[in-house]
Amino acid sequence: LNLIQHAAEMGDYLQDKFRTQLAGDNRVKEIRGMGLMLGVELTKPCSELVQQAFDRKLLLNVTADSVIRLLPPLIINQSEADLIASTVCDLIKQI
């Protein structure tokens, strides 16, 4: 397993999932990333999502008051990535 290549592929996969699931959502300003360092910038503060995600067994943090930052492990698989994407998208749609 080439971790660098895997991280790039899974990062692209997650960004595609976010773009597909959040297309046209006016709460989302930008989706960005490099490898598995991912950010979803929202149009308003979202610090309450940290606890809501934790309650759903997902660790994330919020930076600059409105950027959801995700740093999944380098060995993440596609089903885990799907779970992360669906959880984060659900949380965004609830704010």
Side-chain angles (χ1 to χ4, degrees), residues 41-89:
E41 185 173 358
L42 304 181
T43 56
K44 63 182 189 175
C46 60
S47 59
E48 71 276 5
L49 294 184
V50 173
Q51 183 61 49
Q52 292 173 10
F54 185 74
D55 292 344
R56 294 172 102 177
K57 309 220 182 321
L58 176 65
L59 288 175
L60 57 80
N61 68 356
V62 172
T63 62
D65 222 21
S66 62
V67 179
I68 300 168
R69 182 168 55 189
L70 298 159
L71 297 163
L74 297 177
I75 58 170
I76 190 172
N77 62 41
Q78 191 168 333
S79 64
E80 293 165 335
D82 289 340
L83 182 60
I84 288 171
S86 67
T87 302
V88 171
C89 291

Side-chain angles (χ1 to χ4, degrees), residues 6-69:
H6 180 73
E9 290 170 0
M10 292 308 297
D12 290 344
Y13 179 81
L14 272 166
Q15 283 188 63
D16 288 344
K17 285 295 228 182
F18 287 133
R19 286 191 177 97
T20 300
Q21 293 181 30
L22 297 170
D25 192 322
N26 60 1
R27 292 169 282 223
V28 178
K29 186 173 182 181
E30 182 182 14
I31 297 167
R32 58 184 176 261
M34 179 180 287
L36 282 168
M37 294 185 298
L38 303 165
V40 179
E41 185 173 358
L42 304 181
T43 56
K44 63 182 189 175
C46 60
S47 59
E48 71 276 5
L49 294 184
V50 173
Q51 183 61 49
Q52 292 173 10
F54 185 74
D55 292 344
R56 294 172 102 177
K57 309 220 182 321
L58 176 65
L59 288 175
L60 57 80
N61 68 356
V62 172
T63 62
D65 222 21
S66 62
V67 179
I68 300 168
R69 182 168 55 189

